[in-house]
Amino acid sequence: MLSYRHSYHAGNHADVLKHIVLTLCINSLKEKEKPFLYLDTHSGAGRYLLQSEHAEKTGEYLSGINLIWQQSETPELLNTYLSVLKRYNPFDNLKYYLGSPLIAKQLLREQDKINLTELHPTDYPLLRQEFSKDKRARVLREDGFSQLKSKLPPESRRGIILIDPSYEIKDDYQKIPKALLEAYKRFATGIYLIWYPVVSRTQTQKMIDEIVNLGIKKISQFEFAIKPDNNQKGMTASGMIVINPPWKLQQQMQTIMPWLKSTLDTEKMGNYLIKELVPE
């Protein structure tokens, strides 16, 4: 249950997609002065050394953030995402990749709140240390799905909820639609970001269909693949389901996705998807 370490996968193409969508959504909420909550159900360690044994073993970041880092020109819509990474990598060489919690830490304002959970016995202390002096943050060693009941709705009635388990526990695919419905009943106006991997298309599509059939309105899907679906081991694609997407998000991703494909799909075998799953 607790074997998964994101340090093996930090900065890969799935992280790039997830964190671009996250930064765009955070920027959207910051357009109004009113505070909001950032809730992260599966937070990880916070930051990841890309020269570590774990990262070097898989080398996944080399076909993800590393390819973007080498570009002399990038879309303006990526400025926030890249500027956050540059604060931890000021000398051009890419040393650290940031998980969602540290991206949020850099972008949220003094009036906003951060709620993080992580169960892994090694990652939790690292995460707690990263936020030890941050008065906005609560860092708990608890089941992330339970937070969707206990911490919603936020007092401000504004928030971003990121749900991104490892999916190494197979019942995560079944847990997410149920947990999402419970959360939505409590907090129907929040922005929900559900990250998913495509390892088995059948399994992933079943979960997406269940989410679509929950009766929730305003659901978008953004998916990026570096390979066609296959029956071999490994992730060929990943995606983000976004409930209550900011009104500009679809248009922004129409600009970003073709650039991501041309930059990261080096073998020219991939594709991308931008889809409104459920209208308003």
Side-chain angles (χ1 to χ4, degrees):
M1 176 180 172
L2 297 176
S3 62
Y4 178 84
R5 302 292 304 281
H6 193 66
S7 48
Y8 287 98
H9 312 290
N12 66 6
H13 62 87
D15 265 0
V16 168
L17 175 64
K18 173 169 57 178
H19 293 144
I20 287 172
V21 172
L22 175 62
T23 55
L24 293 173
C25 290
I26 288 175
N27 279 347
S28 175
L29 280 188
K30 286 169 65 179
E31 290 177 1
K32 294 183 179 180
E33 189 63 28
K34 191 175 178 184
F36 63 88
L37 169 72
Y38 171 71
L39 191 156
D40 194 324
T41 61
H42 298 76
S43 299
R47 80 167 104 175
Y48 305 93
L49 179 65
L50 294 177
Q51 286 73 47
S52 71
E53 181 184 350
H54 289 184
E56 294 287 5
K57 182 175 182 179
T58 62
E60 289 185 17
Y61 75 94
L62 294 172
S63 56
I65 186 58
N66 192 63
L67 291 176
I68 294 175
W69 204 254
Q70 294 172 0
Q71 303 302 310
S72 57
E73 293 185 13
T74 54
E76 187 176 344
L77 288 166
L78 299 191
N79 285 355
T80 299
Y81 169 59
L82 293 174
S83 67
V84 168
L85 294 178
K86 285 174 182 175
R87 291 180 201 174
Y88 283 77
N89 299 280
F91 304 111
D92 290 337
N93 61 314
L94 186 60
K95 184 177 181 181
Y96 292 106
Y97 190 77
L98 305 186
S100 308
L102 280 196
I103 290 174
K105 180 180 181 179
Q106 302 302 311
L107 296 181
L108 267 62
R109 305 158 300 180
E110 187 178 346
Q111 67 265 38
D112 301 320
K113 301 294 184 185
I114 302 171
N115 196 100
L116 309 172
T117 49
E118 177 55 48
L119 276 175
H120 197 282
T122 303
D123 284 352
Y124 169 71
L126 296 173
L127 181 69
R128 187 177 58 186
Q129 179 61 34
E130 292 282 2
F131 285 84
S132 61
K133 298 179 181 178
D134 194 328
K135 295 180 179 178
R136 303 169 300 174
R138 293 191 66 191
V139 182
L140 304 170
R141 190 179 178 196
E142 292 183 14
D143 172 52
F145 289 113
S146 70
Q147 302 298 294
L148 300 175
K149 290 185 178 181
S150 63
K151 298 299 186 297
L152 298 178
E155 187 177 340
S156 64
R157 294 301 194 272
R158 302 179 78 223
I160 293 177
I161 297 92
L162 175 62
I163 305 171
D164 64 335
S166 67
Y167 295 90
E168 288 205 343
I169 308 167
K170 297 306 178 187
D171 66 354
D172 282 345
Y173 290 93
Q174 288 80 49
K175 277 184 179 179
I176 284 179
K178 295 174 184 176
L180 190 55
L181 183 59
E182 288 296 319
Y184 189 82
K185 287 177 181 176
R186 290 171 167 78
F187 184 37
T189 55
I191 298 172
Y192 292 86
L193 309 179
I194 301 98
W195 175 82
Y196 64 87
V198 179
V199 178
S200 162
R201 174 61 68 179
T202 302
Q203 195 169 39
T204 299
Q205 192 59 49
K206 185 171 184 285
M207 182 189 76
I208 293 171
D209 291 343
E210 288 179 8
I211 291 172
V212 167
N213 292 327
L214 290 175
I216 296 173
K217 304 297 183 186
K218 291 179 67 176
I219 306 179
S220 293
Q221 179 184 16
F222 307 99
E223 185 175 296
F224 177 66
I226 57 167
K227 294 179 182 178
D229 292 349
N230 60 58
N231 295 321
Q232 299 173 12
K233 186 178 180 182
M235 180 176 63
T236 59
S238 71
M240 295 287 279
I241 303 293
V242 184
I243 295 173
N244 296 322
W247 68 274
K248 292 183 291 188
L249 185 61
Q250 194 107 345
Q251 181 182 351
Q252 290 170 328
M253 295 305 287
Q254 293 282 4
T255 299
I256 290 169
M257 287 296 225
W259 185 87
L260 276 186
K261 185 182 186 310
S262 67
T263 305
L264 300 186
D265 183 19
T266 55
E267 297 181 13
K268 309 303 179 190
M269 297 172 62
N271 58 73
Y272 64 87
L273 174 70
I274 299 172
K275 186 176 182 181
E276 185 180 55
L277 290 176
V278 183
E280 190 170 352

